Amino acid sequence: FALPESVTRIALAKHLLAVTCGRSPPRAPPAYVTSLFDRYAASFDEHVQGVLRYQVPDLLLEDLASVAATPPAVVTPCSEPPISAPAAATAVRRAADLGAGTGLLGPGLRALCGDGAWIEGVDVSAEMLRRAA
């Protein structure tokens, strides 16, 4: 679902007017952000990986893999015998990628969680998500 150009332009104009008048809002209007990333989707991967050297997905996956490799936790309540909690790797059957964009984190999450896992990508840009699918 794409926002009409007039909605995006009006939202951006209001935002820029507020900034110019010294009433800087805490964030850009959602309509503007959605439109910006919808338009950026076609060149997003190439730009962030090639030009900006974006490494967040790789860094997140390294951290997640180290947690998954950690031996099971042992919980020892005061009056009961120790209880082994499942290892992170076997416990992760669902994952959410918030701000998924074009899905750069998705293949790594799939490899980490396994074939039966459910991975959900969430993003403000429908065009980004279309490319992630």
Side-chain angles (χ1 to χ4, degrees), residues 58-84:
D58 294 335
L59 296 172
L60 281 172
L61 288 168
E62 283 178 22
D63 285 348
L64 290 171
S66 71
V67 170
T70 303
V74 175
V75 180
T76 312
C78 296
S79 62
E80 299 194 22
I83 302 168
S84 291

Side-chain angles (χ1 to χ4, degrees), residues 84-118:
S84 291
T90 58
V92 178
R93 302 318 293 153
R94 298 179 69 113
D97 183 358
L98 307 179
T102 57
L104 294 174
L105 186 61
L109 280 176
R110 172 74 58 215
L112 185 66
C113 295
D115 289 337
W118 178 268

Side-chain angles (χ1 to χ4, degrees), residues 10-127:
I10 290 169
L12 179 58
K14 286 180 179 179
H15 179 72
L16 294 176
L17 179 61
V19 170
T20 302
C21 294
R23 298 184 314 266
S24 186
R27 62 189 156 279
Y32 170 69
V33 175
T34 297
S35 176
L36 175 71
F37 282 98
D38 279 347
R39 293 177 184 170
Y40 189 24
S43 60
F44 181 81
D45 289 0
E46 182 181 328
H47 186 243
V48 297
Q49 291 178 308
V51 177
L52 300 178
R53 306 275 187 235
Y54 183 67
Q55 297 177 17
V56 171
D58 294 335
L59 296 172
L60 281 172
L61 288 168
E62 283 178 22
D63 285 348
L64 290 171
S66 71
V67 170
T70 303
V74 175
V75 180
T76 312
C78 296
S79 62
E80 299 194 22
I83 302 168
S84 291
T90 58
V92 178
R93 302 318 293 153
R94 298 179 69 113
D97 183 358
L98 307 179
T102 57
L104 294 174
L105 186 61
L109 280 176
R110 172 74 58 215
L112 185 66
C113 295
D115 289 337
W118 178 268
I119 299 172
E120 187 75 27
V122 179
D123 201 275
V124 298
S125 168
E127 185 59 25

